[in-house]
Amino acid sequence: MKPLASYAADPAKTRGRKIQEPAPEGRNEFQRDRDRIIHSTAFRRLEYKTQVFVNHEGDLFRTRLTHSIEVAQIGRSIARNLGLHEDLVEAIALAHDLGHTPFGHAGQDALNACMHEFGGFEHNLQSLRVVELLEQRYAEFDGLNLTFEVREGILKHCSLQNARQLGDVGERFLDKSQPSLEAQVANLADEIAYNNHDVDDGLRSGLISLNQLAAVELFSRHLDEVRNRYPDIGERKLVHETVRRMINALVQDLCRQSGDNIAAANPESVDDVRRSAPLIAFSPDMQRQQRELKQFLRANLYRHYRVNRMSSKAQRIIRELFAVFMEDITLMPDEFQLRAQSDKPRAVADYIAGMTDRYAIREYRRLFTVEEQPL
Ligand code: MG
C-alpha cells in the first residue's frame, strides 16, 4: 500500500459541482458522492437489472448491483496499490451502470434502435443523465449534483457530437486528453469484473463447459495449477479457485504495468496525468490473454442460442413498449408525461431505461395481455 500520490485526485481540489454546496463535514467530497449514489433510486434498481442473463432466469447470476460492487472492490484494491484515491474509484464504480436499460446489452441495443432517429440511446450517457437530471431527491437541484471528477469517470466514452453538448465532461473527448487515473482504474476494473463473473455465471448456467474453457490460456493456466495442487477438488470449488486466481493475476499485472507506466511518465499532478497517454493498462501479454478470453465469451456465451432467445424476447418487449408509449404518452406515469411535452422520444426512453427486468415484463403484460400469461 502506498500513501496518496501527488498525481492522485484530491477531493479538496475538486473542480466542483454544478450547483455550489458547502463542503461536507466528517467526510470528503468523493465520499459524499458515493453516499448519494448508494442512496439513489437508480442504484437500488440495479438489483433487478441484468447483464447477460435475464433476472428471472435464476437467483445465482450476477445482477448489475453485484457487478457494480465487484467493480468497486477490484477498483479499490488497484487504487490502494497505486496510491490513488479509493473513494473516487469507488464512487465511479458504483455509478457506472446506473443508466443501464433492463435486459442488459440486448435491452440497450433495442432501445438504441428505437431511438435511432432521435439521437440514439447510450447507457454511458444515460448514467450521466441519471445523476445529472433524472434522480429527484434534493430540494435544491435535480439529479445528485456530483463532483466533476465522478461525472467525468462515469462518461467512459462518447461521440464527438455528444461531447460538444456535454460541457465540462465532454471537453476531454474534444481535446483528446485523459481522465483521472481513478477513472482509468474504474474502467479497467469493470473489464476484470465482467470477464471473470461471466466465466463463472456461464459455467454455472451450463452454457459453457470447463472443457471448452480449457482452450483459453488465461483460464487453463490457473485451472491446471488448481488441479495439480488439489487433485480431488469438487467442480464448484475448482471453478472458484480458478476464477479467483484469474482476477488476482489480472489485478497484479495491471498494478505492475501501470506502476511502470506512471514511473516512466513521472506525472506530478492530475494535470500532468490528463496531458499524458493513458497510464493504467495491462501488460501487452496480458492484453492478448484478455482479448482471447473476451473472444471466447463472445463466441460461446454471449451468442449462445439460449442467450439469443432471452435477448430476442427482451428486445421484443422493449420495442413494443417503446411503440405503445410513443403512440400514447398518457400510458406513462405523470412525471414522464410531463417530460414528454418537451421531448417525447427522450421521455419514453428515460421511462423504459429506468425499468428493472421484472418491471418491464410486468408492464408488458399489463399493456398487452388481458389475462396473466407466462412469457
Ligand atoms: Mg459495468
Side-chain angles (χ1 to χ4, degrees):
M1 188 174 112
K2 284 185 180 173
L4 205 60
S6 63
Y7 44 79
D10 181 350
K13 293 184 199 149
T14 170
R15 268 178 72 174
R17 304 169 188 274
K18 283 193 174 168
I19 313 282
Q20 272 203 0
E21 296 183 58
E25 279 173 42
R27 53 182 177 166
N28 67 48
E29 300 279 3
F30 301 149
Q31 284 177 297
R32 169 151 75 183
D33 284 0
R34 176 205 54 207
D35 299 347
R36 285 183 180 180
I37 291 158
I38 287 177
H39 289 284
S40 70
T41 307
F43 185 73
R44 281 197 301 283
R45 285 185 183 152
L46 294 176
E47 184 175 2
Y48 300 103
K49 290 192 181 197
T50 43
Q51 306 249 99
V52 179
F53 300 90
V54 174
N55 186 245
H56 67 272
E57 306 277 337
D59 291 339
L60 297 173
F61 301 126
R62 262 61 170 200
T63 66
R64 294 229 174 250
L65 180 64
T66 54
H67 162 70
S68 300
I69 293 170
E70 288 179 33
V71 176
Q73 177 269 314
I74 292 168
R76 288 181 54 176
S77 297
I78 298 166
R80 194 177 278 217
N81 259 288
L82 295 173
L84 301 175
H85 208 292
E86 277 184 68
D87 297 330
L88 177 55
V89 175
E90 184 181 24
I92 295 169
L94 293 177
H96 86 283
D97 270 352
L98 289 179
H100 256 289
T101 61
F103 312 128
H105 302 292
Q108 129 103 23
D109 291 346
L111 195 53
N112 187 29
C114 293
M115 289 292 288
H116 181 68
E117 293 164 50
F118 314 110
F121 179 89
E122 216 276 304
H123 67 84
N124 230 277
L125 274 179
Q126 190 70 10
S127 296
L128 199 62
R129 200 169 153 78
V130 167
V131 302
E132 290 191 341
L133 177 72
L134 296 176
E135 281 290 326
Q136 297 287 318
R137 314 178 66 78
Y138 298 91
E140 299 194 1
F141 43 80
D142 288 338
L144 305 179
N145 198 33
L146 303 179
T147 57
F148 167 81
E149 289 77 6
V150 174
R151 293 187 301 111
E152 156 189 81
I154 291 173
L155 193 67
K156 269 191 281 196
H157 40 76
C158 91
S159 66
L160 290 182
Q161 195 187 348
N162 285 327
R164 279 183 209 107
Q165 291 160 19
L166 287 172
D168 55 2
V169 291
E171 282 166 18
R172 73 179 168 94
F173 298 96
L174 302 172
D175 66 18
K176 308 268 183 262
S177 58
Q178 304 305 322
S180 68
L181 293 176
E182 286 80 358
Q184 297 179 39
V185 166
N187 190 8
L188 288 174
D190 186 22
E191 258 190 52
I192 296 176
Y194 67 69
N195 282 327
N196 284 282
H197 62 52
D198 288 354
V199 165
D200 189 36
D201 284 348
L203 286 168
R204 193 191 293 271
S205 65
L207 298 186
I208 53 176
S209 69
L210 277 176
N211 274 346
Q212 280 177 299
L213 266 165
V216 177
E217 183 184 341
L218 183 59
F219 188 85
S220 68
R221 187 152 48 91
H222 300 293
L223 181 72
D224 293 346
E225 189 192 311
V226 178
R227 273 186 173 145
N228 288 337
R229 187 152 173 203
Y230 307 102
D232 300 323
I233 197 170
E235 182 162 325
R236 210 44 247 160
K237 284 190 176 180
L238 173 64
V239 170
H240 179 69
E241 283 287 348
T242 305
V243 170
R244 80 183 185 92
R245 280 170 170 74
M246 284 203 304
I247 296 176
N248 206 18
L250 286 159
V251 168
Q252 285 190 17
D253 180 90
L254 188 75
C255 290
R256 212 176 307 121
Q257 183 67 48
S258 305
D260 290 352
N261 294 349
I262 291 168
N266 196 21
E268 282 179 7
S269 64
V270 181
D271 286 338
D272 286 350
V273 164
R274 294 184 183 286
R275 283 189 292 262
S276 75
L279 297 175
I280 305 298
F282 294 108
S283 66
D285 187 48
M286 191 56 97
Q287 277 179 35
R288 180 186 57 76
Q289 293 182 46
Q290 272 261 93
R291 213 173 308 127
E292 188 197 7
L293 174 63
K294 274 187 183 179
Q295 280 162 355
F296 172 88
L297 288 171
R298 203 172 311 127
N300 297 287
L301 180 62
Y302 307 147
R303 293 183 190 154
H304 192 286
Y305 83 95
R306 280 171 56 202
V307 172
N308 289 344
R309 284 183 186 191
M310 294 183 250
S311 305
S312 141
K313 191 159 57 176
Q315 296 194 328
R316 218 161 17 250
I317 293 174
I318 300 277
R319 274 199 302 269
E320 292 184 26
L321 287 177
F322 188 83
V324 81
F325 295 132
M326 284 294 278
E327 200 178 286
D328 184 357
I329 61 164
T330 68
L331 301 177
M332 293 193 294
D334 293 348
E335 176 195 344
F336 295 94
Q337 287 189 41
L338 203 65
R339 285 192 190 286
Q341 286 169 9
S342 53
D343 186 343
K344 182 164 83 167
R346 191 56 59 189
V348 172
D350 285 339
Y351 181 43
I352 293 176
M355 294 178 186
T356 61
D357 293 7
R358 59 184 194 172
Y359 185 89
I361 291 168
R362 278 192 210 135
E363 192 73 336
Y364 182 87
R365 281 186 186 143
R366 281 193 286 262
L367 289 162
F368 292 103
T369 63
V370 181
E371 296 164 283
E372 288 257 317
Q373 288 169 354
L375 279 174

